[in-house]
Amino acid sequence: MYAGLKNTSCCLCGRDETHTRIAVPPRALGLMENGDPISWRDVVGAVTLRFCADDWELVSDLAIEMDAHPLSRCNAAHVSLDLREDHEALLSAVKGETDQTELESRLAAEAEATLDAVDDPYTEERDVVEAVVVLRALEALGVRDRPSDPVAP
């Protein structure tokens, strides 16, 4: 069941014209403004964040130079996501919580592979920023431990 928006505005400033998008795990909704009411366990797939050109420059600097994520400043009302069908309401049946660990593991593995290939000429800045944001968000949520060395290229 679709519930989010597909063509969303910048999650930092709300500007309609966006420049770049990245995907983060559903659990990262808890780190965002207005994210608490959204049940991240009911999200199917990754959550897409979009940024305008001005904010993308800031996000890129934050991720690459400071090895951090901007999620606390992102508004969850401006993300794109899919929610699973509400079986409890439709069928009067209780469905167990969605296990997001496989998606989180896949996103973390892809992020680590991207950072390992940071010197590859085919690795784009957007991919590096997305990798840093995903890994730092999972660390902030206590899903994975932060390595002792900085990840920033």
Side-chain angles (χ1 to χ4, degrees):
M1 173 182 191
Y2 171 73
L5 302 171
K6 288 296 180 188
N7 195 12
T8 58
S9 55
C10 176
C11 68
L12 286 174
C13 69
R15 188 179 303 161
D16 286 333
E17 190 175 317
T18 58
H19 177 266
T20 308
R21 66 186 171 118
I22 63 171
V24 297
R27 193 184 305 240
L29 286 166
L31 298 173
M32 296 180 203
E33 288 182 32
N34 303 315
D36 290 338
I38 302 171
S39 174
W40 63 268
R41 290 193 179 275
D42 289 335
V43 174
V44 178
V47 174
T48 302
L49 308 174
R50 294 180 188 270
F51 300 96
C52 66
D54 293 337
D55 287 341
W56 177 250
E57 197 173 313
L58 173 69
V59 170
S60 179
D61 287 346
L62 184 65
I64 293 174
E65 301 297 327
M66 300 179 69
D67 194 27
H69 67 78
L71 298 179
S72 63
R73 296 288 193 183
C74 292
N75 189 341
H78 296 289
V79 302
S80 178
L81 53 85
D82 287 324
L83 292 176
R84 71 179 181 162
E85 293 182 14
D86 188 355
H87 289 277
E88 295 172 5
L90 294 174
L91 306 173
S92 297
V94 177
K95 188 173 184 178
E97 291 182 338
T98 305
D99 184 9
Q100 300 284 0
T101 55
E102 183 179 326
L103 173 64
E104 291 169 348
S105 297
R106 182 178 53 82
L107 290 174
E110 290 172 2
E112 289 169 351
T114 298
L115 293 178
D116 288 343
V118 75
D119 294 328
D120 185 328
Y122 295 108
T123 301
E124 296 182 16
E125 177 184 334
R126 188 211 71 82
D127 297 329
V128 174
V129 171
E130 180 179 65
V132 171
V133 171
V134 166
L135 294 175
R136 294 303 159 253
L138 290 173
E139 290 161 5
L141 292 162
V143 176
R144 77 186 297 276
D145 295 328
R146 185 176 184 109
S148 55
D149 343 328
V151 174

